[in-house]
Amino acid sequence: ADQAIECGGMTALFISCLNGHKAVVSALIAAGADVNYATSEGSTPLISACFKGHVQVAAVLLEADANVNQAMYDGVTPMIAACMEGNLPLVQLLSSHEACRFAHIPHGDSLKQLNAQDAADFQCHETVIDWLEQSQGWTPLHHVDVLTPERTMKLLRAGACLDALAPDGSTPLSLATAKMKA
């Protein structure tokens, strides 16, 4: 349905994501819009929402199974875009959906690996860098700050473990307990 309304290669869903229109994005998805549609440059609705900092729009797309790791032709992924923009809530949301923290960027005749921390560091986004370091090895359930009750239940029903140990020694249960005490 969405592909019938195009503007310069961008669909109505893509344009709505760029402009942060969460309700329109939800309606278009409900009508059958392709959440993984890519422009001729390889940009997707999720990548555009990440570059524009639209966290709620990104959340709607991710709940509709947008590919969290789909890259543009230049190798930029949603996570790299969010890190470049220094948008910590968006980085956390993407991480909770298991976004890869690495991208392969064309460099001459080869590919260069770029990690999310480097993308954030390039723009001097210290809070993003610190959070990425702190949260290395976290499972989706570790992201208690961004999980909705519905997503938490979905993860638990799928077998996520409350006692999964991250390299920093935290577990989803210990993080949830600390959050409740704060």
Side-chain angles (χ1 to χ4, degrees):
D2 191 38
Q3 274 64 19
I5 308 170
E6 291 199 20
C7 178
M10 289 193 269
T11 65
L13 178 63
F14 195 99
I15 293 166
S16 298
C17 290
L18 277 172
N19 292 308
H21 298 301
K22 178 185 170 189
V24 176
V25 169
S26 294
L28 289 167
I29 291 170
D34 180 2
V35 295
N36 291 311
Y37 171 82
T39 65
S40 59
E41 293 83 28
S43 186
T44 65
L46 182 57
I47 291 172
S48 67
C50 291
F51 270 122
K52 293 293 186 172
H54 300 306
V55 179
Q56 292 181 337
V57 169
V60 169
L61 292 165
L62 290 166
E63 288 303 317
D65 294 324
N67 184 341
V68 72
N69 291 314
Q70 188 169 340
M72 292 176 52
Y73 297 131
D74 63 2
V76 172
T77 63
M79 178 63 88
I80 297 299
C83 288
M84 290 170 62
E85 296 302 315
N87 191 319
L88 182 58
L90 194 49
V91 169
Q92 292 170 326
L93 175 68
L94 294 165
S95 183
S96 78
H97 283 268
E98 301 183 85
C100 183
R101 294 182 180 202
F102 295 91
H104 293 91
I105 308 294
H107 185 72
D109 291 338
S110 62
L111 293 174
K112 178 181 177 183
Q113 189 171 11
L114 175 69
N115 71 47
Q117 288 171 263
D118 291 339
D121 188 44
F122 183 71
Q123 299 292 332
C124 302
H125 298 302
E126 294 298 324
T127 57
V128 172
I129 296 166
D130 292 344
W131 186 86
L132 287 167
E133 289 173 358
Q134 168 198 332
S135 64
Q136 290 223 330
W138 279 14
T139 67
L141 204 52
H142 276 84
H143 297 83
V144 296
D145 289 333
V146 297
L147 289 176
T148 63
E150 297 81 16
R151 178 138 164 82
T152 302
M153 289 304 296
K154 184 178 179 182
L155 289 169
L156 289 170
R157 286 183 179 130
C161 180
L162 288 170
D163 295 320
L165 191 61
D168 67 356
S170 68
T171 66
L173 188 56
S174 69
L175 292 172
T177 302
K179 183 178 179 175
M180 286 176 38
K181 290 180 180 178

